[in-house]
Every structure is written in C-alpha cells, then in structure tokens.
C-alpha cells in the first residue's frame, strides 16, 4: 500500500481536480483525454472531471498595437544611436566585424542591430550566474553595470530566490540524497570520463546498463544514449533520412530538430502547430504529387513532433498523429525532451499520457537534462533501428561517451521514477508535479492573465507582449524573491514575449502561493492581466 503521504497527496489531487474510485482498476481508454495517476500497488486512481484543454487566447488589439509601436520606437532610436556611433559622436561598444573591406560580413546586420539596440537594454535580466543547485530554491550572483549593460561586474552579494525557471520537473537537481551518493561512488569506481568515443574505448558497463534500463522503462526493444541532448537530434536525424526523403515538421519544433532536418538534405515541409488537418493535407499532397519537378514518390516520409512544447506549454495530439502515420505509411519521430518523466501516470511521457503503444512510435527521443537532473539524450526503438544508429551516428562515432557519474545519476533517478528502488517516491513526485501544474495554472487564469498551453503541462507560459515588460517583470519578481525566466525574440515571435514558468515536484503549495501572490501584485503593477475569458475571481 502507498504511504500516508502519498494517500494524502492523491486525496488533495481529487479534492481539487477529480474523483478517486477505489474500485476502478480499468486501464484508461487509448484515445482518452483524461490524465490518470495510479499510485504504485494501489487501486486509487486520479481522474480529472474535466477534459484536458489547451488555450492560446489572442492578445487584445490595443496590446498588440502598443507592442508594435514599442518595437518601432526601439528601431528608430536604434538607427539614431547607430548614426551617432558611425559619426564618431558616440563610442562604439558592440562587436565590430573584423573582415577586411570588400569581404562579406561575418555577422547578420539586423541581428547585430537587434543585439546592440534592443537586447543590450534588458540583458541584465538574462544569463544570470548561479552558485547553487537549481532546486526549488536558487542562489544567484548579483551583477551590476555602470555602462548600461554593455559589461557587468559582480557586486559580491548573492540573492536567494524561489526558482520557477529550471526544468527540474521531478526535483532530482540535488547535491545530496541517493542519486548524488550513487554518482559519487561512480566517480570512485570509474572516474569522470572515458576520454574516448563509444565506438573505440568509450563503451563502459554503466552505459550498457543505462541503455538496457531505459529501453525496459520505455517498453521498447533497445535504446542508445548520447552525451548531449541537442546533438541527439542534430546528428541523428541525418542518419534516418536524406535527399529524396520528406520531413513534415511542426512549425514550433525545437532548433535541434530544425538543424538536424536541414543537415539531412531531405525536403522539409512545415505544418501548423499541432494542427492535424493541416498535417493530413500536407501528407496527402506529398503522396499525390511526389517530389518537386520529377514527381517521383518520396523514399520516406518522416513526421517530426515534440511531446511537450517548451515555449507554448502544449502537448502533442499523439493518438491522431499515430493514426495519420499509419494511414499514410509514414514514420514518426517523437522528441520527448520536456515530457519524459514529467507527464503520464508512470512518467513515461506523452505515450504514457495518452495510453498509446510505444511500438507505434518509430523513433522515441528524449533528454536527461530535465526530469532526470542530469545531461545527455537517448533514442529508443527497435533493435534494427538502434543498431543502425550505433553504426552510423556521428555522435556515437566521434563524440566522447557519457561521463560515468552522469550515467549513474540517470540510472538512479530512473529507478526511483519507475519504482525499481522498492519505494513509491517516484509516484509521489509524479503526482505532486501534476497537482502543482493544475493548481498554478488555474490560479493564473483566474487572476486574469493570458496563459498558453495544456492544463497538464508543467511548462506554464504567461504572456507579456510588450518589450519593456520583459525586463520589468523579471526584475520586479526578483525583488520579491522569485527567480523567473522571461523570453523574447528570437526565442519567440517578435510580438509574443512571455514569462515561462517551469514547475517542479519539489515546489510546495506554500512556495507556489508565495509566487502567485507576487505575480498577482506585479501583474497589477505592469497591467499584464489582458485576458477576456470569463472566470471566477481568484
């Protein structure tokens, strides 16, 4: 039976969001939109009463107009400042293209313009150095600037703050406890690096153990692990498709997927975000008309999507995409970087969340940098697929293999999540994250903010829109002891600046209430409550 603590948590989940049926032992419907959290060795089931919904409320017209005007003013003043710099009336402090006269510039002209005249104005709220583990609370090194953010120096003071910006979904970013102890032991036994690629002398027993454990957890035949999540996508997609193949990519896919697709040499078509109708139309057209000019059939068609989209907080409609890929005989590449460990009754990502068969996804990809508190990435699937990647992957042939303590951290956290350690700690963390995600998002919506994404997503984007509010929100929250990540162009569209909250199982209700109180106060101060949705007052 689960511990009293876990029973209490499940009761709290159901009091707020659904019902527990002690006699309900049925598995969820494969196409159900409900989330089920089933504590280990218990018939308790958490089932929300409402259907999962995604919200992408449009900004009010006046807010959109003011946002455009704000960027117009920034551009005008930027051109004026550049004129003063090039005239010698103002000192040049930005990057100067070192090429001789007549050479093509190394840097994109507008990117440099944007960096000099817009980004630099607010860069003090980005890239803040930290001096602690990125747990529920974080220590930041204070920086000061006496030249309007062109350069920084440390003040010698540290700032203690509640951390709402790290991908520490299950709270494994710790420097003590079982995972940390096991990682230290791994250093003593195997050192910190193999100093060799996996195809030479870099494959160690711990790497084999990790790959077998991951494959078993995901319910597939085999898996292969890499030392870098970004490289897992960018270096392995070219091993799967090439010239004469077609990639159908979601318009909001991560840059690692975009880069890997471009490096493959395959033709790329982009479909609207999570739009099943648009995807089907492009699939139909691609099959009917074939390749450009020759109209020959495509060698392969690969659909590339993510599980949870890290900027939108949305969840892929996996059952419908699987239905389409079967109907049109395409392949499916699923990036679970932000969903593995974070959603689903067993923490197995969107496949688990929707109750789908993992064998229906041809290439399962994910990273260890979020829910597992480590680094690196994996690809999982059939043995034939994994053997092909082991043979041809640049990341497997040339990059150094994963550090042993990194691998041990993943194995230890994975054993906790799956319950292989003999405890229900993993179930408690998954349930706590689910409750935190619903609670935090609902409170923000009731306050009147425009919040993007899916109700079950641990990524909660709150829209800011106006460029001046990117820094203002960040600074005002830090004054209140809350560290947040504010995001603008080019990570988002120019007019869709936002703050992206990342929730964790390590956040307590008291922590979230403190953050919500501060957000409510700052939201009123900066006039951020744009929503027109009719909801009850918080």
């Amino acid at each position: 039976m689960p511990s009293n603590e876990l029973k209490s948590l499940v009761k709290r989940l159901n009091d707020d969001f659904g019902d527990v049926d002690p006699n309900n032992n049925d598995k969820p419907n494969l196409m159900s939109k409900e989330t089920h959290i089933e504590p280990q060795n218990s018939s308790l089931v958490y089932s929300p009463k409402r259907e999962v919904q995604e919200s992408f409320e449009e900004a009010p017209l006046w807010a959109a107009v003011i946002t455009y005007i704000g960027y117009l003013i920034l551009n005008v003043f930027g051109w004026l400042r550049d004129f003063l710099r090039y005239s010698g009336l103002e000192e040049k402090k930005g990057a100067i293209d070192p090429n001789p006269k007549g050479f093509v510039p190394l840097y994109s002209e507008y990117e440099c313009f944007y960096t000099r005249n817009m980004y630099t104005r607010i860069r003090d709220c980005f890239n803040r150095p930290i001096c602690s583990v990125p747990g529920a609370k974080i220590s930041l090194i204070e920086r000061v600037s006496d030249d309007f953010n062109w350069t920084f120096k440390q003040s010698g003071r540290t700032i203690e703050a509640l951390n709402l910006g790290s991908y520490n979904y299950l709270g494994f970013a710790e420097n003590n406890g079982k995972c940390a102890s096991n990682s230290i032991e791994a250093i003593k036994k195997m050192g910190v690096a193999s100093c060799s690629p996996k195809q030479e002398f870099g494959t160690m027993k711990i790497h084999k153990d990790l790959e077998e454990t991951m494959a078993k957890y995901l319910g597939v035949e085999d898996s292969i692990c890499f030392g870098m999540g970004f490289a897992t996508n960018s270096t392995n997609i070219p091993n799967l498709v090439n010239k004469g193949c077609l990639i159908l990519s979601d318009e909001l896919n991560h840059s690692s997927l975009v880069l890997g697709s471009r490096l493959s040499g395959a033709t790329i078509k982009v479909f609207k975000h999570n739009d099943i109708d648009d995807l089907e139309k492009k699939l139909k057209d691609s099959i009917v008309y074939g390749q450009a000019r020759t109209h020959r059939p495509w060698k392969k068609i690969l659909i590339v999507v993510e599980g949870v989209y890290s900027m939108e907080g949305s969840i892929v409609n996996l059952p419908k995409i699987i239905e389409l890929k079967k109907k049109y005989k395409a392949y499916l590449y699923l990036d679970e970087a932000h969903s593995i460990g974070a959603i689903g009754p067993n923490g197995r990502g969107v496949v688990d969340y929707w109750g789908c068969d993992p064998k229906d996804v041809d290439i399962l990809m994910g990273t260890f940098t979020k829910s597992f508190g480590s680094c690196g990435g994996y690809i999982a699937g059939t043995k034939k697929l994994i053997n092909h990647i082991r043979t041809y992957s640049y990341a497997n042939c040339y990059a150094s293999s994963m550090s042993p303590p990194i691998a041990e951290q993943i194995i230890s956290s994975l054993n906790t999540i799956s319950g292989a350690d003999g405890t229900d700690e993993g179930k408690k963390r998954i349930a706590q994250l689910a409750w935190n995600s619903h609670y935090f998002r609902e409170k923000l919506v009731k306050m009147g903010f425009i919040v993007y994404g899916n109700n079950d997503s641990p990524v909660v984007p709150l829209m800011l829109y106006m460029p001046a509010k990117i820094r203002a929100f960040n600074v005002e929250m830090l004054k209140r002891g809350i560290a947040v990540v504010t995001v603008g162009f080019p990570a988002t569209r120019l007019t869709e600046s936002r703050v992206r909250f990342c929730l964790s199982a390590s956040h307590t209700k008291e922590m979230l209430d403190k953050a919500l109180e501060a957000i409510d106060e700052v939201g009123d101060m900066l006039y951020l409550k744009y929503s027109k949705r009719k909801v009850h007052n918080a």
Side-chain angles (χ1 to χ4, degrees):
M1 294 293 292
S3 65
N4 291 332
E5 184 180 354
L6 181 54
K7 285 181 178 178
S8 174
L9 175 58
V10 174
K11 183 179 185 301
R12 182 148 53 102
L13 277 161
N14 293 301
D15 287 344
D16 288 349
F17 304 115
D19 293 327
V20 164
D21 180 1
N23 300 314
N24 185 359
N25 294 312
D26 295 335
K27 293 183 179 179
N29 187 306
L30 294 185
M31 298 297 291
S32 172
K33 290 188 176 180
E34 295 183 347
T35 302
H36 296 260
I37 296 179
E38 303 176 2
Q40 189 178 17
N41 300 322
S42 173
S43 59
L44 294 174
V45 177
Y46 157 52
S47 299
K49 291 178 180 178
R50 60 189 180 191
E51 287 189 342
V52 174
Q53 295 180 349
E54 292 190 349
S55 173
F56 295 97
E57 184 180 352
E58 291 186 3
L61 181 60
W62 65 267
V65 170
I66 293 175
T67 301
Y68 280 111
I69 292 173
Y71 277 108
L72 177 62
I73 293 171
L74 284 172
N75 275 275
V76 169
F77 275 93
W79 291 323
L80 175 61
R81 296 291 293 274
D82 275 359
F83 173 76
L84 295 175
R85 293 180 188 119
Y86 292 126
S87 300
L89 300 175
E90 183 179 333
E91 181 185 354
K92 290 183 180 181
K93 295 179 180 179
I96 299 173
D97 193 336
N99 285 334
K101 188 175 181 180
F103 276 63
V104 176
L106 271 175
Y107 311 111
S108 167
E109 187 175 351
Y110 187 76
E111 285 180 11
C112 289
F113 175 86
Y114 179 86
T115 301
R116 283 192 306 272
N117 299 298
M118 300 182 202
Y119 173 77
T120 302
R121 289 173 176 265
I122 61 171
R123 69 188 288 241
D124 59 325
C125 72
F126 301 124
N127 306 318
R128 286 196 177 100
I130 66 172
C131 54
S132 69
V133 294
K137 294 184 178 180
I138 198 169
S139 298
L140 302 172
I141 299 174
E142 186 181 54
R143 301 174 301 172
V144 294
S145 175
D146 54 13
D147 57 1
F148 304 102
N149 295 339
W150 286 100
T151 60
F152 294 100
K153 57 185 177 182
Q154 296 179 11
S155 68
R157 191 171 78 94
T158 59
I159 303 170
E160 303 296 324
L162 175 63
N163 180 16
L164 288 179
S166 294
Y167 301 136
N168 182 28
Y169 296 132
L170 293 181
F172 285 111
E174 304 163 324
N175 55 8
N176 53 48
K178 189 189 302 181
C179 293
S181 300
N182 291 347
S183 297
I184 292 169
E185 289 302 314
I187 295 175
K188 293 177 181 177
K189 292 178 182 178
M190 292 167 277
V192 295
S194 64
C195 305
S196 175
K198 288 182 73 175
Q199 282 201 355
E200 296 176 13
F201 292 102
T203 300
M204 306 171 74
K205 183 179 182 297
I206 195 168
H207 298 134
K208 290 292 186 183
D209 292 343
L210 172 58
E211 290 169 356
E212 290 172 5
T213 303
M214 198 68 208
K216 182 179 178 181
Y217 176 67
L218 295 172
V220 294
E221 294 178 6
D222 203 358
S223 73
I224 181 171
C225 298
F226 304 91
M228 181 181 179
F230 191 100
T232 304
N233 279 330
S234 60
T235 63
N236 285 304
I237 291 178
N239 297 318
L240 302 171
V241 288
N242 49 33
K243 188 176 180 180
C245 299
L246 173 66
I247 293 175
L248 290 170
S249 177
D250 189 291
E251 65 177 338
L252 297 182
N253 276 345
H254 190 263
S255 59
S256 60
L257 293 168
V258 174
L259 178 59
S261 299
R262 289 174 177 173
L263 291 174
S264 72
T267 299
I268 304 169
K269 292 184 180 180
V270 177
F271 63 92
K272 295 176 184 177
H273 176 56
N274 230 354
D275 189 325
I276 302 302
D277 293 334
D278 189 48
L279 173 59
E280 182 166 22
K281 181 179 184 303
K282 286 183 168 59
L283 272 168
K284 281 182 180 178
D285 290 347
S286 299
I287 291 171
V288 170
Y289 298 111
Q291 299 183 42
R293 295 190 300 274
T294 64
H295 299 294
R296 291 176 181 171
W298 298 101
K299 294 178 184 176
K300 303 174 201 171
I301 297 178
L302 180 67
I303 302 169
V304 180
V305 294
E306 295 185 47
V308 170
Y309 288 82
S310 62
M311 283 295 168
E312 309 301 313
S314 55
I315 296 177
V316 68
N317 191 344
L318 188 62
K320 289 293 184 182
I321 289 182
I322 288 176
E323 186 180 317
L324 282 186
K325 81 108 183 176
K326 288 181 176 179
K327 180 178 179 180
Y328 294 99
K329 303 297 187 291
Y331 293 99
L332 177 58
Y333 187 110
L334 175 62
D335 180 337
E336 294 240 55
H338 288 269
S339 52
I340 189 67
I343 64 173
N346 303 291
R348 297 193 183 104
V350 291
V351 177
D352 189 30
Y353 173 83
W354 288 105
C356 297
D357 185 346
K359 295 181 176 62
D360 286 336
V361 181
D362 303 285
I363 304 102
L364 285 161
M365 178 272 170
T367 61
F368 302 119
T369 53
K370 284 86 178 175
S371 298
F372 301 92
S374 190
C375 69
Y378 69 85
I379 287 181
T382 63
K383 281 191 177 294
K384 186 176 180 181
L385 168 72
I386 303 306
N387 286 337
H388 171 81
I389 292 174
R390 282 200 178 98
T391 304
Y392 294 102
S393 172
Y394 291 125
N396 199 52
C397 297
Y398 301 112
S400 292
S401 60
M402 185 182 287
S403 173
I406 296 298
E408 182 56 47
Q409 163 73 20
I410 301 165
I411 292 172
S412 299
S413 57
L414 189 54
N415 286 338
T416 301
I417 296 169
S418 64
D421 63 346
T423 71
D424 59 7
E425 178 65 24
K427 288 288 185 182
K428 286 195 287 186
R429 293 189 187 223
I430 293 168
Q432 184 67 60
L433 178 61
W435 188 87
N436 287 352
S437 301
H438 283 90
Y439 179 76
F440 193 77
R441 183 181 289 272
E442 280 205 346
K443 290 291 184 181
L444 292 178
V445 170
K446 287 180 179 179
M447 288 176 188
F449 295 103
I450 292 182
V451 181
Y452 275 8
N454 192 292
N455 293 340
D456 293 325
S457 170
V459 178
V460 184
L462 185 154
M463 304 308 292
L464 303 175
Y465 299 113
M466 301 173 197
K469 296 184 180 182
I470 298 174
R471 180 184 183 276
F473 187 90
N474 195 301
V475 171
E476 289 298 327
M477 288 297 290
L478 193 59
K479 286 179 183 177
R480 292 160 175 77
I482 316 291
V484 300
V485 172
T486 46
V487 189
F489 179 82
T492 67
R493 293 185 178 95
L494 196 67
T495 57
E496 292 187 2
S497 302
R498 65 196 67 182
V499 54
R500 181 182 61 180
F501 300 109
C502 294
L503 300 177
S504 169
S506 60
H507 290 138
T508 64
K509 182 178 183 296
E510 291 71 26
M511 291 177 179
L512 296 182
D513 286 338
K514 176 186 175 182
L516 288 164
E517 183 180 352
I519 294 166
D520 191 27
E521 183 180 339
V522 175
D524 288 331
M525 179 191 300
L526 300 180
Y527 299 98
L528 294 174
K529 297 180 178 180
Y530 304 112
S531 180
K532 294 182 179 179
R533 294 171 62 183
K534 293 182 180 179
V535 293
H536 299 293
N537 292 328

